[in-house]
Amino acid sequence: MNIGLTAHNSKKTLLESFCIAYKGIFKKHTLIATNATANHIAKATGMKVTSLLPGQMGGSKQMQNMIANNDIDLVIFFHSADLEQDAESMNLAEISRLCDMYNIPLATNIATAEPLVLCLDRGDME
């Protein structure tokens, strides 16, 4: 499965730790992330991560297009809950809208990401 990963700057370390913890599951799938997130995850885990453009330079739009084209099966987007109406919060809103529209599972925190990844490992999402 193709897994879209992204995180706001304040959550990149959390996403890295999450990917380290579930490396055994993630290495069986294709990981796709915006540039900085891809670099962080690849460095922390040693896994191959397909890198999109930086989020603010079109990477978020690339991920949105991949969701709309059914090229991503699951999205994990760890975001800063204290964001105001800026470009980052609009990216989250659009990714969330597209995931809802195209029935793509979306996790925005550890509490939702962990069960999705465990379902993925059991084969429940195929």
Side-chain angles (χ1 to χ4, degrees), residues 77-113:
F77 188 161
F78 289 167
H79 68 95
S80 300
D82 59 348
L83 289 176
E84 294 187 23
Q85 194 65 15
D86 60 6
E88 286 188 337
S89 63
M90 290 188 302
N91 287 336
L92 173 62
E94 184 61 13
I95 285 175
S96 177
R97 184 186 74 78
L98 288 167
C99 285
D100 287 345
M101 181 182 295
Y102 295 103
N103 205 29
I104 306 296
L106 169 66
T108 58
N109 56 53
I110 293 279
T112 54

Side-chain angles (χ1 to χ4, degrees), residues 1-32:
M1 295 191 85
N2 295 330
I3 303 171
L5 301 168
T6 191
H8 291 148
N9 289 336
S10 65
K11 299 292 183 170
K12 288 202 191 311
T13 302
L14 177 63
L15 185 56
E16 286 173 24
S17 298
F18 186 78
C19 289
I20 290 167
Y22 291 100
K23 181 179 176 178
I25 297 170
F26 284 135
K27 70 182 179 183
K28 301 173 190 172
H29 302 278
T30 301
L31 304 180
I32 303 162

Side-chain angles (χ1 to χ4, degrees), residues 27-123:
K27 70 182 179 183
K28 301 173 190 172
H29 302 278
T30 301
L31 304 180
I32 303 162
T34 53
N35 185 264
T37 303
N39 291 336
H40 280 272
I41 294 167
K43 184 177 178 182
T45 65
M47 291 188 294
K48 182 183 182 304
V49 182
T50 300
S51 180
L52 303 175
L53 292 170
Q56 298 297 336
M57 298 189 71
S60 294
K61 292 288 185 199
Q62 286 179 299
M63 187 163 298
Q64 291 166 20
N65 288 336
M66 292 180 81
I67 293 166
N69 290 323
N70 203 31
D71 294 329
I72 291 185
D73 303 299
L74 167 70
V75 176
I76 298 174
F77 188 161
F78 289 167
H79 68 95
S80 300
D82 59 348
L83 289 176
E84 294 187 23
Q85 194 65 15
D86 60 6
E88 286 188 337
S89 63
M90 290 188 302
N91 287 336
L92 173 62
E94 184 61 13
I95 285 175
S96 177
R97 184 186 74 78
L98 288 167
C99 285
D100 287 345
M101 181 182 295
Y102 295 103
N103 205 29
I104 306 296
L106 169 66
T108 58
N109 56 53
I110 293 279
T112 54
E114 187 171 45
L116 284 178
V117 170
L118 294 174
C119 286
L120 180 67
D121 190 40
R122 285 193 312 262

